[in-house]
Amino acid sequence: MWALRALRAAGRGGAWLSRAVRGCRPPRAALLPPPPHPERALAAVRGGLGCSEGREGGGGGSRADGQRSRADGEEEPKDAEEEEDEEELLRRDPLLPAGTQRVCLVHPEVKWGPGKTQGTRAEWQVAEARALVCTLDGWLVVDTMVVRTTTPDKKLIFGRGTLEQLTERIRGSPEITSVFLNVERLATPTKKDLEAAWRVPVFDRFTVVLHIFRCNARTKEARLQVALAELPLLRSHVKSNVAHLGGRGRSSRYTMGSGPRREDVDASLGHCSAHCGHHADSPLGLSFSGIRGRPGESFLQLQQRLLRDREAKIQKALERLRCKRRLLGQQRRRKEFPVVSVVGYTNCGKTTLIKALTGDAAIQPRNQLFATLDITAHAGRLPSALTVLYMDTIGFLSQLPHSLVESFSATLQDVAHSDLIVHVRDVSHPETELQKASVLSALWGLGLPDALLESMVEVHNKVDLVPGYTPAEPDVLAVSALLGLGLDELMARVEDAVLRATGRRTLTLRVRLAGPQLSWLHQEATVQAVDVIPEAGAADVKVIISDSAYGRFRKLFPG
């Protein structure tokens, strides 16, 4: 019950996605023998849990075009028009400028009031923000400023005197080419005013994270989820663009469906290009070619209608993919492969741990935020020779915008279909308790079954960085995925929990050597030992078998 109480205490906070782990040594060669049917296990689960092939988390992986692998050879042919619509939805320009950027990181430190972040220090918030910037190719932080403010809700965030000092310092540093303001979201007027004052582009946390999501999304579902998450940003720019036109787009009406004036379109798109990092011909991913306004429709209304249509198409495409995943999930459950979901905060070592548990040398963890946005599957064996599937989930990161949380919640809902959750924590991190609270808060928000939350196994990773470390909590396992410490105890704990969660039991069954029983058991259960009795033409077979599989065995082979 400890996990359930902790989850309820954590509330419904805003922890969310990322996955980044240290590079790791190859696992010990003798740690685990290869699973008997890893390809069968992975084929059963890829589509069923909406996951991609089990290498993507390490930088290899699923096809860049986002197409899913088929499971059991079943995939309905997609309508050509639907395929074309989806590809159009995924055609977008970069949110951030290409090339090298020398960034000034500005962190507003709220000293009191409702805007103050509880339970964490500014230095760790700055460290996380720096990691975000360094995730972008060619971007580096050349200056960092932690600036106190008592007016975070005002238009320009800082007081007049503080803003003047910031402006003087930024303008006086010619090496600075952009500013990353470590706030969740900047209103468009605030962004414009700060860019005018500082004379360099200004980016907020939402824009940077969304750009990283775009770059790292591999499957079509992940790319569509990113497209859905960016709609609030596009809507805010639409309103800003119309205001920039001096209200012409707001009040101008087009008669008999004549469509918007070309000069209005050009002015709006060009203005968005200057402030969004998009090309002027298609800044919002919206094509005006052949678009005609409805009678009495203003330019603003036209743009808003196009965005509503875009949202409806994205939701429809996502629902098609989710229906397919639900169908394949039923196939996976019929095959009865136990699923262990590995969750945790960014850089806690999830991928490194899965690599150590499975012995899969193809997994290559990367020290990079949001290295993948898709659940990935990795087959491994427990000490009893039972094959399990470890699901490397999207990681968690605090202070992410609500639209990103909502867009990717459906992906993490797949955790609800697992048999066991392993929560990995980085105990070497100074704010490990806050990270734990963030993860538990996010899991609680997914509405997972109580039984799944209560059986969750907590693993304290990176103990090699904390000499003499011993967990204070009962039933917590201390490991070093990098060095292979504590993995035997972890696998034993996982095996015990999986057997209890899936209703499996160990039986010794006598079968005839001349019949198909032994072959059937190898296919449908986990055979641990075969003791041949030659004089009887039979064998005693020790197996781990589920109740449903045992029922089928008795029905097929009575007597």
PDB file of all heavy atoms in Angstrom, residues 410-446:
ATOM      1  N   ALA A 410      -1.964   9.336 -24.017  1.00  0.00           N
ATOM      2  CA  ALA A 410      -2.472   8.078 -24.582  1.00  0.00           C
ATOM      3  C   ALA A 410      -1.358   7.055 -24.742  1.00  0.00           C
ATOM      4  O   ALA A 410      -1.574   5.858 -24.553  1.00  0.00           O
ATOM      5  CB  ALA A 410      -3.135   8.355 -25.932  1.00  0.00           C
ATOM      6  N   THR A 411      -0.143   7.518 -25.087  1.00  0.00           N
ATOM      7  CA  THR A 411       0.976   6.591 -25.228  1.00  0.00           C
ATOM      8  C   THR A 411       1.311   5.936 -23.901  1.00  0.00           C
ATOM      9  O   THR A 411       1.502   4.721 -23.805  1.00  0.00           O
ATOM     10  CB  THR A 411       2.215   7.322 -25.780  1.00  0.00           C
ATOM     11  OG1 THR A 411       1.886   7.871 -27.056  1.00  0.00           O
ATOM     12  CG2 THR A 411       3.380   6.385 -25.922  1.00  0.00           C
ATOM     13  N   LEU A 412       1.366   6.735 -22.829  1.00  0.00           N
ATOM     14  CA  LEU A 412       1.692   6.169 -21.524  1.00  0.00           C
ATOM     15  C   LEU A 412       0.538   5.380 -20.928  1.00  0.00           C
ATOM     16  O   LEU A 412       0.728   4.649 -19.961  1.00  0.00           O
ATOM     17  CB  LEU A 412       2.140   7.285 -20.567  1.00  0.00           C
ATOM     18  CG  LEU A 412       3.606   7.683 -20.724  1.00  0.00           C
ATOM     19  CD1 LEU A 412       3.944   8.856 -19.832  1.00  0.00           C
ATOM     20  CD2 LEU A 412       4.524   6.523 -20.408  1.00  0.00           C
ATOM     21  N   GLN A 413      -0.660   5.522 -21.506  1.00  0.00           N
ATOM     22  CA  GLN A 413      -1.763   4.695 -21.040  1.00  0.00           C
ATOM     23  C   GLN A 413      -1.452   3.218 -21.270  1.00  0.00           C
ATOM     24  O   GLN A 413      -2.037   2.347 -20.630  1.00  0.00           O
ATOM     25  CB  GLN A 413      -3.060   5.074 -21.769  1.00  0.00           C
ATOM     26  CG  GLN A 413      -3.722   6.345 -21.260  1.00  0.00           C
ATOM     27  CD  GLN A 413      -4.332   6.182 -19.882  1.00  0.00           C
ATOM     28  OE1 GLN A 413      -4.510   5.076 -19.398  1.00  0.00           O
ATOM     29  NE2 GLN A 413      -4.636   7.299 -19.242  1.00  0.00           N
ATOM     30  N   ASP A 414      -0.529   2.926 -22.194  1.00  0.00           N
ATOM     31  CA  ASP A 414      -0.162   1.536 -22.440  1.00  0.00           C
ATOM     32  C   ASP A 414       0.444   0.880 -21.208  1.00  0.00           C
ATOM     33  O   ASP A 414       0.447  -0.348 -21.094  1.00  0.00           O
ATOM     34  CB  ASP A 414       0.841   1.459 -23.595  1.00  0.00           C
ATOM     35  CG  ASP A 414       0.190   1.797 -24.928  1.00  0.00           C
ATOM     36  OD1 ASP A 414      -0.999   1.481 -25.090  1.00  0.00           O
ATOM     37  OD2 ASP A 414       0.860   2.380 -25.787  1.00  0.00           O
ATOM     38  N   VAL A 415       0.983   1.691 -20.290  1.00  0.00           N
ATOM     39  CA  VAL A 415       1.521   1.130 -19.051  1.00  0.00           C
ATOM     40  C   VAL A 415       0.436   0.380 -18.285  1.00  0.00           C
ATOM     41  O   VAL A 415       0.712  -0.584 -17.571  1.00  0.00           O
ATOM     42  CB  VAL A 415       2.134   2.259 -18.181  1.00  0.00           C
ATOM     43  CG1 VAL A 415       2.591   1.726 -16.827  1.00  0.00           C
ATOM     44  CG2 VAL A 415       3.309   2.902 -18.920  1.00  0.00           C
ATOM     45  N   ALA A 416      -0.816   0.797 -18.453  1.00  0.00           N
ATOM     46  CA  ALA A 416      -1.915   0.153 -17.737  1.00  0.00           C
ATOM     47  C   ALA A 416      -2.085  -1.304 -18.145  1.00  0.00           C
ATOM     48  O   ALA A 416      -2.669  -2.096 -17.390  1.00  0.00           O
ATOM     49  CB  ALA A 416      -3.222   0.912 -17.983  1.00  0.00           C
ATOM     50  N   HIS A 417      -1.583  -1.685 -19.316  1.00  0.00           N
ATOM     51  CA  HIS A 417      -1.725  -3.062 -19.784  1.00  0.00           C
ATOM     52  C   HIS A 417      -0.561  -3.944 -19.364  1.00  0.00           C
ATOM     53  O   HIS A 417      -0.518  -5.120 -19.737  1.00  0.00           O
ATOM     54  CB  HIS A 417      -1.853  -3.082 -21.309  1.00  0.00           C
ATOM     55  CG  HIS A 417      -3.043  -2.336 -21.819  1.00  0.00           C
ATOM     56  ND1 HIS A 417      -4.331  -2.689 -21.517  1.00  0.00           N
ATOM     57  CD2 HIS A 417      -3.133  -1.229 -22.610  1.00  0.00           C
ATOM     58  CE1 HIS A 417      -5.178  -1.854 -22.098  1.00  0.00           C
ATOM     59  NE2 HIS A 417      -4.468  -0.957 -22.764  1.00  0.00           N
ATOM     60  N   SER A 418       0.388  -3.406 -18.623  1.00  0.00           N
ATOM     61  CA  SER A 418       1.528  -4.215 -18.198  1.00  0.00           C
ATOM     62  C   SER A 418       1.165  -5.031 -16.966  1.00  0.00           C
ATOM     63  O   SER A 418       0.169  -4.774 -16.285  1.00  0.00           O
ATOM     64  CB  SER A 418       2.742  -3.320 -17.916  1.00  0.00           C
ATOM     65  OG  SER A 418       2.440  -2.375 -16.917  1.00  0.00           O
ATOM     66  N   ASP A 419       1.980  -6.026 -16.675  1.00  0.00           N
ATOM     67  CA  ASP A 419       1.767  -6.879 -15.506  1.00  0.00           C
ATOM     68  C   ASP A 419       2.519  -6.367 -14.284  1.00  0.00           C
ATOM     69  O   ASP A 419       2.164  -6.716 -13.153  1.00  0.00           O
ATOM     70  CB  ASP A 419       2.217  -8.309 -15.819  1.00  0.00           C
ATOM     71  CG  ASP A 419       1.439  -8.912 -16.977  1.00  0.00           C
ATOM     72  OD1 ASP A 419       0.209  -9.059 -16.843  1.00  0.00           O
ATOM     73  OD2 ASP A 419       2.056  -9.208 -18.023  1.00  0.00           O
ATOM     74  N   LEU A 420       3.550  -5.561 -14.521  1.00  0.00           N
ATOM     75  CA  LEU A 420       4.363  -5.043 -13.418  1.00  0.00           C
ATOM     76  C   LEU A 420       5.001  -3.732 -13.848  1.00  0.00           C
ATOM     77  O   LEU A 420       5.366  -3.555 -15.016  1.00  0.00           O
ATOM     78  CB  LEU A 420       5.464  -6.055 -13.044  1.00  0.00           C
ATOM     79  CG  LEU A 420       6.426  -5.662 -11.924  1.00  0.00           C
ATOM     80  CD1 LEU A 420       5.691  -5.616 -10.574  1.00  0.00           C
ATOM     81  CD2 LEU A 420       7.604  -6.623 -11.860  1.00  0.00           C
ATOM     82  N   ILE A 421       5.124  -2.802 -12.899  1.00  0.00           N
ATOM     83  CA  ILE A 421       5.847  -1.543 -13.128  1.00  0.00           C
ATOM     84  C   ILE A 421       7.108  -1.550 -12.280  1.00  0.00           C
ATOM     85  O   ILE A 421       7.063  -1.844 -11.074  1.00  0.00           O
ATOM     86  CB  ILE A 421       4.990  -0.319 -12.755  1.00  0.00           C
ATOM     87  CG1 ILE A 421       3.757  -0.230 -13.661  1.00  0.00           C
ATOM     88  CG2 ILE A 421       5.803   0.967 -12.873  1.00  0.00           C
ATOM     89  CD1 ILE A 421       2.809   0.892 -13.273  1.00  0.00           C
ATOM     90  N   VAL A 422       8.230  -1.237 -12.912  1.00  0.00           N
ATOM     91  CA  VAL A 422       9.496  -1.043 -12.200  1.00  0.00           C
ATOM     92  C   VAL A 422       9.833   0.444 -12.265  1.00  0.00           C
ATOM     93  O   VAL A 422      10.019   0.991 -13.354  1.00  0.00           O
ATOM     94  CB  VAL A 422      10.628  -1.888 -12.809  1.00  0.00           C
ATOM     95  CG1 VAL A 422      11.965  -1.545 -12.151  1.00  0.00           C
ATOM     96  CG2 VAL A 422      10.332  -3.380 -12.647  1.00  0.00           C
ATOM     97  N   HIS A 423       9.880   1.088 -11.105  1.00  0.00           N
ATOM     98  CA  HIS A 423      10.178   2.522 -11.027  1.00  0.00           C
ATOM     99  C   HIS A 423      11.663   2.692 -10.713  1.00  0.00           C
ATOM    100  O   HIS A 423      12.117   2.362  -9.612  1.00  0.00           O
ATOM    101  CB  HIS A 423       9.317   3.172  -9.941  1.00  0.00           C
ATOM    102  CG  HIS A 423       9.632   4.625  -9.724  1.00  0.00           C
ATOM    103  ND1 HIS A 423       9.255   5.318  -8.594  1.00  0.00           N
ATOM    104  CD2 HIS A 423      10.299   5.539 -10.497  1.00  0.00           C
ATOM    105  CE1 HIS A 423       9.674   6.565  -8.677  1.00  0.00           C
ATOM    106  NE2 HIS A 423      10.314   6.717  -9.819  1.00  0.00           N
ATOM    107  N   VAL A 424      12.409   3.210 -11.688  1.00  0.00           N
ATOM    108  CA  VAL A 424      13.856   3.385 -11.540  1.00  0.00           C
ATOM    109  C   VAL A 424      14.137   4.808 -11.071  1.00  0.00           C
ATOM    110  O   VAL A 424      13.635   5.775 -11.655  1.00  0.00           O
ATOM    111  CB  VAL A 424      14.577   3.112 -12.876  1.00  0.00           C
ATOM    112  CG1 VAL A 424      16.086   3.226 -12.701  1.00  0.00           C
ATOM    113  CG2 VAL A 424      14.210   1.733 -13.408  1.00  0.00           C
ATOM    114  N   ARG A 425      14.965   4.918 -10.034  1.00  0.00           N
ATOM    115  CA  ARG A 425      15.349   6.232  -9.506  1.00  0.00           C
ATOM    116  C   ARG A 425      16.856   6.398  -9.531  1.00  0.00           C
ATOM    117  O   ARG A 425      17.606   5.445  -9.301  1.00  0.00           O
ATOM    118  CB  ARG A 425      14.850   6.391  -8.068  1.00  0.00           C
ATOM    119  CG  ARG A 425      13.356   6.495  -7.916  1.00  0.00           C
ATOM    120  CD  ARG A 425      12.954   6.583  -6.454  1.00  0.00           C
ATOM    121  NE  ARG A 425      13.637   7.680  -5.770  1.00  0.00           N
ATOM    122  CZ  ARG A 425      13.646   7.844  -4.444  1.00  0.00           C
ATOM    123  NH1 ARG A 425      12.999   6.982  -3.664  1.00  0.00           N
ATOM    124  NH2 ARG A 425      14.287   8.853  -3.896  1.00  0.00           N
ATOM    125  N   ASP A 426      17.300   7.616  -9.798  1.00  0.00           N
ATOM    126  CA  ASP A 426      18.721   7.959  -9.740  1.00  0.00           C
ATOM    127  C   ASP A 426      19.008   8.500  -8.340  1.00  0.00           C
ATOM    128  O   ASP A 426      18.743   9.663  -8.038  1.00  0.00           O
ATOM    129  CB  ASP A 426      19.036   9.010 -10.811  1.00  0.00           C
ATOM    130  CG  ASP A 426      20.468   9.528 -10.728  1.00  0.00           C
ATOM    131  OD1 ASP A 426      21.259   8.982  -9.931  1.00  0.00           O
ATOM    132  OD2 ASP A 426      20.792  10.487 -11.453  1.00  0.00           O
ATOM    133  N   VAL A 427      19.564   7.636  -7.476  1.00  0.00           N
ATOM    134  CA  VAL A 427      19.777   8.056  -6.084  1.00  0.00           C
ATOM    135  C   VAL A 427      21.005   8.946  -5.942  1.00  0.00           C
ATOM    136  O   VAL A 427      21.244   9.489  -4.861  1.00  0.00           O
ATOM    137  CB  VAL A 427      19.897   6.841  -5.147  1.00  0.00           C
ATOM    138  CG1 VAL A 427      18.580   6.102  -5.075  1.00  0.00           C
ATOM    139  CG2 VAL A 427      21.021   5.910  -5.585  1.00  0.00           C
ATOM    140  N   SER A 428      21.768   9.123  -7.023  1.00  0.00           N
ATOM    141  CA  SER A 428      22.908  10.029  -6.955  1.00  0.00           C
ATOM    142  C   SER A 428      22.499  11.474  -7.201  1.00  0.00           C
ATOM    143  O   SER A 428      23.295  12.391  -6.957  1.00  0.00           O
ATOM    144  CB  SER A 428      23.975   9.617  -7.973  1.00  0.00           C
ATOM    145  OG  SER A 428      23.536   9.889  -9.303  1.00  0.00           O
ATOM    146  N   HIS A 429      21.274  11.690  -7.676  1.00  0.00           N
ATOM    147  CA  HIS A 429      20.821  13.049  -7.970  1.00  0.00           C
ATOM    148  C   HIS A 429      20.412  13.753  -6.680  1.00  0.00           C
ATOM    149  O   HIS A 429      19.712  13.173  -5.842  1.00  0.00           O
ATOM    150  CB  HIS A 429      19.639  13.015  -8.935  1.00  0.00           C
ATOM    151  CG  HIS A 429      19.360  14.345  -9.579  1.00  0.00           C
ATOM    152  ND1 HIS A 429      18.725  15.371  -8.923  1.00  0.00           N
ATOM    153  CD2 HIS A 429      19.655  14.807 -10.832  1.00  0.00           C
ATOM    154  CE1 HIS A 429      18.631  16.413  -9.738  1.00  0.00           C
ATOM    155  NE2 HIS A 429      19.183  16.099 -10.894  1.00  0.00           N
ATOM    156  N   PRO A 430      20.834  15.005  -6.492  1.00  0.00           N
ATOM    157  CA  PRO A 430      20.505  15.713  -5.249  1.00  0.00           C
ATOM    158  C   PRO A 430      19.006  15.869  -5.016  1.00  0.00           C
ATOM    159  O   PRO A 430      18.575  16.028  -3.876  1.00  0.00           O
ATOM    160  CB  PRO A 430      21.180  17.084  -5.422  1.00  0.00           C
ATOM    161  CG  PRO A 430      22.248  16.862  -6.448  1.00  0.00           C
ATOM    162  CD  PRO A 430      21.714  15.810  -7.362  1.00  0.00           C
ATOM    163  N   GLU A 431      18.210  15.865  -6.062  1.00  0.00           N
ATOM    164  CA  GLU A 431      16.769  16.057  -5.910  1.00  0.00           C
ATOM    165  C   GLU A 431      15.996  14.783  -6.243  1.00  0.00           C
ATOM    166  O   GLU A 431      14.907  14.811  -6.811  1.00  0.00           O
ATOM    167  CB  GLU A 431      16.308  17.215  -6.797  1.00  0.00           C
ATOM    168  CG  GLU A 431      17.077  18.487  -6.575  1.00  0.00           C
ATOM    169  CD  GLU A 431      16.170  19.692  -6.351  1.00  0.00           C
ATOM    170  OE1 GLU A 431      14.980  19.576  -6.642  1.00  0.00           O
ATOM    171  OE2 GLU A 431      16.670  20.710  -5.868  1.00  0.00           O
ATOM    172  N   THR A 432      16.558  13.664  -5.831  1.00  0.00           N
ATOM    173  CA  THR A 432      15.935  12.379  -6.163  1.00  0.00           C
ATOM    174  C   THR A 432      14.543  12.228  -5.568  1.00  0.00           C
ATOM    175  O   THR A 432      13.660  11.623  -6.183  1.00  0.00           O
ATOM    176  CB  THR A 432      16.841  11.216  -5.718  1.00  0.00           C
ATOM    177  OG1 THR A 432      16.227   9.975  -6.082  1.00  0.00           O
ATOM    178  CG2 THR A 432      17.083  11.240  -4.205  1.00  0.00           C
ATOM    179  N   GLU A 433      14.288  12.793  -4.384  1.00  0.00           N
ATOM    180  CA  GLU A 433      12.961  12.678  -3.774  1.00  0.00           C
ATOM    181  C   GLU A 433      11.927  13.486  -4.555  1.00  0.00           C
ATOM    182  O   GLU A 433      10.786  13.048  -4.731  1.00  0.00           O
ATOM    183  CB  GLU A 433      13.004  13.140  -2.320  1.00  0.00           C
ATOM    184  CG  GLU A 433      13.775  12.216  -1.393  1.00  0.00           C
ATOM    185  CD  GLU A 433      13.150  10.824  -1.304  1.00  0.00           C
ATOM    186  OE1 GLU A 433      11.912  10.721  -1.448  1.00  0.00           O
ATOM    187  OE2 GLU A 433      13.898   9.857  -1.113  1.00  0.00           O
ATOM    188  N   LEU A 434      12.322  14.651  -5.047  1.00  0.00           N
ATOM    189  CA  LEU A 434      11.401  15.443  -5.861  1.00  0.00           C
ATOM    190  C   LEU A 434      11.128  14.763  -7.196  1.00  0.00           C
ATOM    191  O   LEU A 434      10.010  14.799  -7.708  1.00  0.00           O
ATOM    192  CB  LEU A 434      11.979  16.844  -6.088  1.00  0.00           C
ATOM    193  CG  LEU A 434      11.959  17.775  -4.879  1.00  0.00           C
ATOM    194  CD1 LEU A 434      12.723  19.044  -5.183  1.00  0.00           C
ATOM    195  CD2 LEU A 434      10.532  18.096  -4.485  1.00  0.00           C
ATOM    196  N   GLN A 435      12.143  14.140  -7.757  1.00  0.00           N
ATOM    197  CA  GLN A 435      11.939  13.397  -8.995  1.00  0.00           C
ATOM    198  C   GLN A 435      10.978  12.235  -8.768  1.00  0.00           C
ATOM    199  O   GLN A 435      10.106  11.964  -9.608  1.00  0.00           O
ATOM    200  CB  GLN A 435      13.278  12.884  -9.524  1.00  0.00           C
ATOM    201  CG  GLN A 435      14.190  13.989 -10.027  1.00  0.00           C
ATOM    202  CD  GLN A 435      15.490  13.455 -10.593  1.00  0.00           C
ATOM    203  OE1 GLN A 435      15.784  12.258 -10.482  1.00  0.00           O
ATOM    204  NE2 GLN A 435      16.275  14.325 -11.195  1.00  0.00           N
ATOM    205  N   LYS A 436      11.128  11.561  -7.645  1.00  0.00           N
ATOM    206  CA  LYS A 436      10.204  10.469  -7.326  1.00  0.00           C
ATOM    207  C   LYS A 436       8.773  10.990  -7.243  1.00  0.00           C
ATOM    208  O   LYS A 436       7.844  10.382  -7.809  1.00  0.00           O
ATOM    209  CB  LYS A 436      10.600   9.818  -5.999  1.00  0.00           C
ATOM    210  CG  LYS A 436       9.595   8.778  -5.506  1.00  0.00           C
ATOM    211  CD  LYS A 436      10.001   8.198  -4.153  1.00  0.00           C
ATOM    212  CE  LYS A 436       8.942   7.219  -3.636  1.00  0.00           C
ATOM    213  NZ  LYS A 436       9.335   6.609  -2.347  1.00  0.00           N
ATOM    214  N   ALA A 437       8.583  12.103  -6.559  1.00  0.00           N
ATOM    215  CA  ALA A 437       7.238  12.673  -6.424  1.00  0.00           C
ATOM    216  C   ALA A 437       6.656  13.040  -7.788  1.00  0.00           C
ATOM    217  O   ALA A 437       5.461  12.853  -8.035  1.00  0.00           O
ATOM    218  CB  ALA A 437       7.285  13.897  -5.515  1.00  0.00           C
ATOM    219  N   SER A 438       7.493  13.549  -8.691  1.00  0.00           N
ATOM    220  CA  SER A 438       7.025  13.921 -10.022  1.00  0.00           C
ATOM    221  C   SER A 438       6.553  12.699 -10.800  1.00  0.00           C
ATOM    222  O   SER A 438       5.510  12.716 -11.449  1.00  0.00           O
ATOM    223  CB  SER A 438       8.142  14.625 -10.799  1.00  0.00           C
ATOM    224  OG  SER A 438       8.474  15.861 -10.208  1.00  0.00           O
ATOM    225  N   VAL A 439       7.319  11.610 -10.729  1.00  0.00           N
ATOM    226  CA  VAL A 439       6.949  10.391 -11.452  1.00  0.00           C
ATOM    227  C   VAL A 439       5.670   9.796 -10.876  1.00  0.00           C
ATOM    228  O   VAL A 439       4.754   9.412 -11.615  1.00  0.00           O
ATOM    229  CB  VAL A 439       8.103   9.368 -11.405  1.00  0.00           C
ATOM    230  CG1 VAL A 439       7.662   8.035 -11.998  1.00  0.00           C
ATOM    231  CG2 VAL A 439       9.321   9.899 -12.144  1.00  0.00           C
ATOM    232  N   LEU A 440       5.587   9.718  -9.551  1.00  0.00           N
ATOM    233  CA  LEU A 440       4.387   9.154  -8.926  1.00  0.00           C
ATOM    234  C   LEU A 440       3.158   9.998  -9.243  1.00  0.00           C
ATOM    235  O   LEU A 440       2.058   9.471  -9.457  1.00  0.00           O
ATOM    236  CB  LEU A 440       4.580   9.053  -7.412  1.00  0.00           C
ATOM    237  CG  LEU A 440       5.652   8.076  -6.924  1.00  0.00           C
ATOM    238  CD1 LEU A 440       5.708   8.064  -5.397  1.00  0.00           C
ATOM    239  CD2 LEU A 440       5.401   6.674  -7.453  1.00  0.00           C
ATOM    240  N   SER A 441       3.342  11.310  -9.291  1.00  0.00           N
ATOM    241  CA  SER A 441       2.236  12.196  -9.622  1.00  0.00           C
ATOM    242  C   SER A 441       1.725  11.921 -11.033  1.00  0.00           C
ATOM    243  O   SER A 441       0.520  11.860 -11.284  1.00  0.00           O
ATOM    244  CB  SER A 441       2.682  13.655  -9.485  1.00  0.00           C
ATOM    245  OG  SER A 441       1.691  14.537  -9.956  1.00  0.00           O
ATOM    246  N   ALA A 442       2.654  11.757 -11.973  1.00  0.00           N
ATOM    247  CA  ALA A 442       2.261  11.488 -13.355  1.00  0.00           C
ATOM    248  C   ALA A 442       1.587  10.128 -13.478  1.00  0.00           C
ATOM    249  O   ALA A 442       0.590   9.980 -14.197  1.00  0.00           O
ATOM    250  CB  ALA A 442       3.484  11.554 -14.265  1.00  0.00           C
ATOM    251  N   LEU A 443       2.104   9.110 -12.800  1.00  0.00           N
ATOM    252  CA  LEU A 443       1.482   7.788 -12.846  1.00  0.00           C
ATOM    253  C   LEU A 443       0.079   7.822 -12.253  1.00  0.00           C
ATOM    254  O   LEU A 443      -0.848   7.184 -12.768  1.00  0.00           O
ATOM    255  CB  LEU A 443       2.351   6.771 -12.093  1.00  0.00           C
ATOM    256  CG  LEU A 443       3.700   6.416 -12.737  1.00  0.00           C
ATOM    257  CD1 LEU A 443       4.484   5.485 -11.821  1.00  0.00           C
ATOM    258  CD2 LEU A 443       3.492   5.764 -14.098  1.00  0.00           C
ATOM    259  N   TRP A 444      -0.073   8.568 -11.177  1.00  0.00           N
ATOM    260  CA  TRP A 444      -1.396   8.696 -10.569  1.00  0.00           C
ATOM    261  C   TRP A 444      -2.370   9.344 -11.554  1.00  0.00           C
ATOM    262  O   TRP A 444      -3.534   8.953 -11.641  1.00  0.00           O
ATOM    263  CB  TRP A 444      -1.282   9.520  -9.295  1.00  0.00           C
ATOM    264  CG  TRP A 444      -2.590   9.824  -8.639  1.00  0.00           C
ATOM    265  CD1 TRP A 444      -3.234  11.019  -8.577  1.00  0.00           C
ATOM    266  CD2 TRP A 444      -3.428   8.900  -7.956  1.00  0.00           C
ATOM    267  NE1 TRP A 444      -4.406  10.904  -7.897  1.00  0.00           N
ATOM    268  CE2 TRP A 444      -4.559   9.613  -7.500  1.00  0.00           C
ATOM    269  CE3 TRP A 444      -3.330   7.534  -7.683  1.00  0.00           C
ATOM    270  CZ2 TRP A 444      -5.585   9.000  -6.789  1.00  0.00           C
ATOM    271  CZ3 TRP A 444      -4.356   6.934  -6.975  1.00  0.00           C
ATOM    272  CH2 TRP A 444      -5.465   7.665  -6.531  1.00  0.00           C
ATOM    273  N   GLY A 445      -1.890  10.317 -12.301  1.00  0.00           N
ATOM    274  CA  GLY A 445      -2.749  10.997 -13.267  1.00  0.00           C
ATOM    275  C   GLY A 445      -3.188  10.114 -14.417  1.00  0.00           C
ATOM    276  O   GLY A 445      -4.152  10.436 -15.108  1.00  0.00           O
ATOM    277  N   LEU A 446      -2.506   8.984 -14.641  1.00  0.00           N
ATOM    278  CA  LEU A 446      -2.887   8.079 -15.722  1.00  0.00           C
ATOM    279  C   LEU A 446      -4.060   7.187 -15.343  1.00  0.00           C
ATOM    280  O   LEU A 446      -4.608   6.487 -16.196  1.00  0.00           O
ATOM    281  CB  LEU A 446      -1.697   7.191 -16.114  1.00  0.00           C
ATOM    282  CG  LEU A 446      -0.512   7.895 -16.764  1.00  0.00           C
ATOM    283  CD1 LEU A 446       0.632   6.911 -16.978  1.00  0.00           C
ATOM    284  CD2 LEU A 446      -0.919   8.523 -18.093  1.00  0.00           C
TER     285      LEU A 446
END
